[in-house]
């Protein structure tokens, strides 16, 4: 068991209990934070876009071509990722992400 | 000229749940028309994940989004539903009574109007609409300098056109508008494109011959006194910024879902979904039903499976509105000759 820290669009930081094998999008959604996840995690909509804190970027698997394709449809920053493509494992205990603005 | 159609039921949304509702209504001799904003049937299944496998449809260990839609179309074929695609329902007006509902439904694209005894909203997450890039004040330029679709190419003749995106729409319009534009620039986040290879090749040859420009980066703000667009400020990956002069910008970022006009139909809403009862999946307005992902009730699960169940129950109540004088007998398709005749499988 571990946690992730999520900063919402109002700038408030939430510490959420994470479950191994769940996607970060699912953890955020399960705790009721406003993440759209329109396609349900199929990497087809980019509505679960988050900004990952610099210090965590290298600890994640790099985005697949499929994820890059979806990131093309939003306004990205160098630390943009789709939270449905980040599988939570204990190595990601303490992961820091920020929800991207709606539509971004 | 405005078309006017009289029918029993109008179904809003031609995704899997709307399609299966046709089947359940058809078994009860109820005729329907379906309206969808997309140019094809299948809703989210066909638009977002046509090739992705779905594993929780009863009787299908695995089926793709498009496979499920194709099968549903075959299943409802005996009932000959009429589809109105590329149309968005703009208004829904009640012109009957709670005991004998009657509705007037109007679409925006070509102004078709419908009169019907019941409406089933099966609109999933709402209607698919173009994704708008989150740029400050972009709305002020919409319709004059910013367009999310090309309706008439002539509008862009002799204009400085900026196209943003890296998919098929962006690349197709790049090669189509380049010959008539004064100058065309394509802007994309990275130097890889997910459009048809021959279109990408054509774009690259136009860039190589100096007939158009390609830049990598993202628009951060727009220039010009609204509604007149004069340019776009671009941020590159390294953080540096530059400006591209343009009269029009065409962002092609794909589609997203918005509730749209549904919010104005006098229905109770709870966080962009429509509360219904669990006996007949009717909304607070008698005769208007909501099934599938667009509804909510205690215990709601957003599953295609749930939407099928909801459609079956809604159909029972719709029957009472369409045939108030008839008693509804519950029958099974396995044993009822009458149902099998409707399906075209019994003599």
């Amino acid at each position: 068991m571990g946690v992730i820290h999520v900063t919402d669009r109002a700038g408030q930081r939430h510490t959420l209990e994470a479950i191994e094998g769940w996607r970060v999008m699912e953890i955020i959604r399960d705790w009721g934070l406003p993440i759209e996840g329109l396609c349900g995690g199929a990497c087809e909509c980019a509505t679960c876009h988050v900004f990952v804190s610099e210090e965590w970027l290298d600890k994640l698997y790099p985005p697949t071509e499929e994820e890059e394709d979806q990131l093309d449809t939003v306004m990205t920053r160098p630390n943009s990722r789709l939270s449905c493509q980040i599988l939570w494992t204990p190595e990601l205990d303490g992961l820091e992400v920020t929800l991207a603005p709606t539509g971004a | 000229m405005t078309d006017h159609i009289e029918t029993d039921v109008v179904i809003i949304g031609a995704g899997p749940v709307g399609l299966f509702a046709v089947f359940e209504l058809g078994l009860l001799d109820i005729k329907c028309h379906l309206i969808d904003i997309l140019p094809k049937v299948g809703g989210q299944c066909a638009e977002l994940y046509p090739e992705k496998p779905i594993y929780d449809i009863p009787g299908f260990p695995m089926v793709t989004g498009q496979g499920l839609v194709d099968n549903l179309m075959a299943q409802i074929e005996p009932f000959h539903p009429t589809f109105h695609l590329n149309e968005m329902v703009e208004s829904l007006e009640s012109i009957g009574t709670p005991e004998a509902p009657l509705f007037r439904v109007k679409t925006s694209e070509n102004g078709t109007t419908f009169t019907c005894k019941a409406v089933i909203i099966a609109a999933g997450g709402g209607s698919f609409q173009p994704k708008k890039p989150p740029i400050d004040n972009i709305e002020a330029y919409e319709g004059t300098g910013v367009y999310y679709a090309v309706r008439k190419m002539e509008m862009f003749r002799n204009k400085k056109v900026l196209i943003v995106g890296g998919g098929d729409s962006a690349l197709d319009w790049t090669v189509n508008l380049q010959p008539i534009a004064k100058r065309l620039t394509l802007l994309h986040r990275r130097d890889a494109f997910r459009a048809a290879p021959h279109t990408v090749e054509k774009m690259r040859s136009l860039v190589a011959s100096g007939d158009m420009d390609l830049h990598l980066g993202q628009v951060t703000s727009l220039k010009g006194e609204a509604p007149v667009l004069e340019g776009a400020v671009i941020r590159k990956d390294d953080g540096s910024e530059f400006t591209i002069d343009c009269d029009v910008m065409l962002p092609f970022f794909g589609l997203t879902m918005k509730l749209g006009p549904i919010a104005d139909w006098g229905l109770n809403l709870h966080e962009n979904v429509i509360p219904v009862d669990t006996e007949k999946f009717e909304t607070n307005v008698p005769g208007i039903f909501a099934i599938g992902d667009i509804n909510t009730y205690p215990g709601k699960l957003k599953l295609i499976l749930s939407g099928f169940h909801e459609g079956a129950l809604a159909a029972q109540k719709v029957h009472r509105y369409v045939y108030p004088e008839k008693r509804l007998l519950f029958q099974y398709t396995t044993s009822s000759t009458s149902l099998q005749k409707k399906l075209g499988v019994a003599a």
Side-chain angles (χ1 to χ4, degrees):
Chain A
M1 203 64 90
V3 296
I4 61 170
H5 306 290
V6 180
T7 303
D8 65 22
R9 294 182 190 107
Q12 198 184 335
R13 187 169 177 264
H14 306 259
T15 298
L16 313 180
E17 202 172 276
I19 299 171
E20 186 164 6
W22 279 39
R23 288 154 197 279
V24 168
M25 182 274 280
E26 293 169 327
I27 296 166
I28 296 172
R29 189 182 58 191
D30 199 55
W31 282 93
L33 291 184
I35 196 153
E36 227 179 328
L38 195 64
C39 75
C43 197
E44 294 291 340
C45 72
T47 57
C48 65
H49 179 195
V50 293
F51 305 122
V52 175
S53 285
E54 294 294 330
E55 67 271 24
W56 286 96
L57 273 178
D58 292 343
K59 298 188 176 84
L60 304 180
Y61 283 103
T64 59
E65 190 59 28
E66 205 179 12
E67 184 179 346
E68 290 284 6
D69 282 352
Q70 283 308 316
L71 284 168
D72 287 344
T73 71
V74 288
M75 195 81 98
T76 54
R77 296 179 192 166
N79 57 341
S80 284
R81 292 296 303 261
L82 296 186
S83 57
C84 75
Q85 298 303 299
I86 308 172
L87 207 58
W88 193 84
T89 56
E91 294 80 63
L92 298 181
D93 187 12
L95 177 72
E96 287 267 0
V97 302
T98 300
L99 301 186
T102 313
Chain B
M1 204 182 97
T2 303
D3 283 330
H4 183 77
I5 292 162
E6 289 192 11
T7 185
D8 295 332
V9 177
V10 164
I11 298 176
I12 301 171
V17 169
L19 294 178
F20 191 66
V22 172
F23 183 83
E24 290 294 334
L25 294 167
L27 290 180
L28 306 180
D29 289 323
I30 301 169
K31 298 268 173 283
C32 56
H33 284 242
L34 291 94
I35 303 169
D36 201 291
I37 193 168
L38 292 176
K40 59 182 182 219
V41 301
Q44 217 170 312
C45 269
E47 185 62 35
L48 287 187
Y49 41 86
E51 303 301 327
K52 291 260 156 99
I54 309 173
Y55 299 99
D56 61 352
I57 305 294
F60 288 97
M62 191 285 277
V63 64
T64 62
Q66 190 59 51
L68 175 64
V69 172
D70 292 344
N71 277 309
L72 283 162
M73 287 298 281
Q75 192 169 17
I76 65 175
E77 206 277 329
F79 301 118
H80 310 295
T82 311
F83 292 96
H84 304 265
L85 302 175
N86 261 327
E87 289 188 45
M88 178 157 86
V89 175
E90 190 135 275
S91 66
L92 167 55
E93 184 192 353
S94 176
I95 51 172
T97 63
E99 297 72 34
L102 198 63
F103 300 96
R104 187 173 292 133
V105 177
K106 195 168 183 300
T107 69
S108 55
E109 198 55 40
N110 60 11
T112 311
T113 61
F114 301 81
T115 305
C116 57
K117 292 174 180 160
V119 173
I120 296 181
I121 302 172
S127 49
F128 277 100
Q129 291 175 20
K131 252 187 206 172
K132 295 183 181 184
I135 300 168
D136 280 348
N137 209 25
I138 192 168
E139 291 82 10
Y141 299 94
E142 286 172 0
T144 51
V146 173
Y147 300 89
Y148 301 103
V150 176
R151 303 263 182 231
K152 279 188 199 147
M153 278 175 60
E154 273 307 304
M155 282 171 60
F156 304 104
R157 184 173 290 280
N158 294 324
K159 303 264 179 162
K160 286 176 276 178
V161 177
L162 171 63
I163 292 182
V164 190
D168 281 311
S169 299
L171 271 288
D172 285 349
W173 286 118
T174 293
V175 300
N176 286 335
L177 292 176
Q178 184 277 330
I180 66 164
K182 187 172 181 185
R183 187 71 186 173
L184 191 135
T185 305
L186 175 65
L187 175 74
H188 186 41
R189 175 179 156 255
R190 60 191 174 122
D191 196 21
F193 297 86
R194 70 209 130 78
H198 68 272
T199 320
V200 177
E201 211 171 289
K202 167 91 175 150
M203 179 275 292
R204 290 209 189 273
S205 76
L206 287 168
V207 174
S209 60
D211 292 314
M212 63 165 277
D213 301 309
L214 168 66
H215 289 292
L216 303 184
Q218 295 180 92
V219 179
T220 55
S221 61
L222 299 177
K223 286 194 159 177
E225 198 169 320
V228 181
L229 183 69
E230 288 174 0
V233 179
I234 313 301
R235 188 184 58 218
K236 296 204 288 189
D237 239 10
D238 61 11
S240 62
E241 291 194 339
F242 66 100
T243 301
I244 293 176
D245 288 341
C246 59
D247 308 311
V248 289
M249 178 173 85
L250 304 169
F252 292 112
F253 281 172
L255 300 171
T256 187
M257 290 232 240
K258 298 267 177 253
L259 196 58
I262 294 173
D264 305 322
W265 296 343
L267 301 170
N268 286 344
L269 290 176
H270 175 70
E271 290 177 355
N272 284 342
V273 283
I274 306 171
V276 290
D277 64 68
T278 50
E279 181 197 346
K280 43 201 191 303
F281 299 92
E282 202 165 22
T283 66
N284 62 308
V285 178
I288 302 182
F289 299 78
I291 59 175
D293 284 359
I294 194 101
N295 77 12
T296 185
Y297 52 84
K300 168 72 183 182
L301 282 181
K302 284 193 178 187
L303 289 177
I304 295 171
L305 161 79
S306 311
F308 290 163
H309 157 83
E310 294 161 15
L313 282 168
Q316 302 287 308
K317 182 65 191 279
V318 171
H319 183 270
R320 280 169 54 190
Y321 289 136
V322 176
Y323 298 111
E325 73 291 353
K326 275 195 200 167
R327 189 165 152 242
L328 179 58
L329 289 172
F330 182 73
Q331 295 170 292
Y332 291 104
T333 55
T334 40
S335 51
S336 160
T337 314
S338 136
L339 293 184
Q340 288 168 4
K341 274 187 185 162
K342 289 174 197 176
L343 293 168
V345 292

